[in-house]
């Protein structure tokens, strides 16, 4: 009974419960557990990351950015944080900062892919379609049929008012993945 309501739990147990809540989609519960751990251990990087990621999901983007930066200051590995930080900046409309954060690439290809997609979106927002296409092209070098990257290329042509090329690229996306909802 004490453990169920959180009394008598260690910080490690509380953090594990918060991580499980996050995986189960109970993001507010994850935030509560992360904050309780941070009350006792303000330098707990895992709790900071949990709080940041849960905050990002529930739409508290500013808090997510703050916690991600704190996690970095406390020694979190940049590759573990960069995609979430870039997303938080992008969602706040800090497009120049999002592009700047995405300049230094991580080693993991899947993380690079996510980062390039965010970078391309930010560059479209900055009205730099050619640079955006280059970011999406970097994703396409690892997977030439990545529907989100192809859709990004189509959007970059749309920004240039090159509607014919945008339509052709969009048709290519739908050929590759007819179930890709954003393309429809």
């Amino acid at each position: 009974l004490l453990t169920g309501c959180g009394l008598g739990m260690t910080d490690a147990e509380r953090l594990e419960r918060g991580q499980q809540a996050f995986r189960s989609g109970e993001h507010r519960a994850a935030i509560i557990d992360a904050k309780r751990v941070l009350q006792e251990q303000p330098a707990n990087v895992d709790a900071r990351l949990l709080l940041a990621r849960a905050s990002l999901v529930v739409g508290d983007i500013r808090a997510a950015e703050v916690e991600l930066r704190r996690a970095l200051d406390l020694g979190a590995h940049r590759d573990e944080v960069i995609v979430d930080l870039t997303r938080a900046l992008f969602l706040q409309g800090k497009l120049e900062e999002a592009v700047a954060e995405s300049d230094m690439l991580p080693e993991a290809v899947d993380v690079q892919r996510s980062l390039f997609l965010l970078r391309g979106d930010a560059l479209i927002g900055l009205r730099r379609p050619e640079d955006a296409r280059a970011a999406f092209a970097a994703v396409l070098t690892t997977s030439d049929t990545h529907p989100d990257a192809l859709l990004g290329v189509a959007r970059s042509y749309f920004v240039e008012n090159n509607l014919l090329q945008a339509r052709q690229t969009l048709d290519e996306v739908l050929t590759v993945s007819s179930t890709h909802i954003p393309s429809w």
Side-chain angles (χ1 to χ4, degrees), residues 138-183:
V139 174
L140 294 170
T141 61
T142 62
S143 171
D144 61 349
T145 60
H146 195 288
D148 291 326
L150 288 170
L151 181 58
V153 171
R155 289 183 8 252
S156 74
Y157 285 123
F158 183 78
V159 166
E160 288 179 327
N161 207 24
N162 185 346
L163 302 181
L164 179 61
Q165 190 64 49
R167 178 58 192 211
Q168 289 173 346
T169 307
L170 189 56
D171 288 342
E172 183 181 345
V173 177
L174 293 172
T175 300
V176 168
S177 178
S178 63
T179 60
H180 189 247
I181 303 294
S183 298

Side-chain angles (χ1 to χ4, degrees), residues 83-124:
V83 172
D84 291 324
L85 179 58
T86 303
R87 181 174 289 114
L89 293 168
F90 175 78
L91 291 172
Q92 292 178 81
K94 298 178 179 180
L95 303 180
E96 290 286 352
E97 286 182 56
V99 170
E101 283 293 339
S102 66
D103 277 341
M104 193 167 67
L105 292 175
E107 290 185 30
V109 173
D110 57 329
V111 177
Q112 284 181 8
R113 198 175 304 136
S114 297
L115 199 56
F116 275 126
L117 289 169
L118 283 165
R119 180 182 180 83
D121 288 341
L123 289 164
I124 285 175

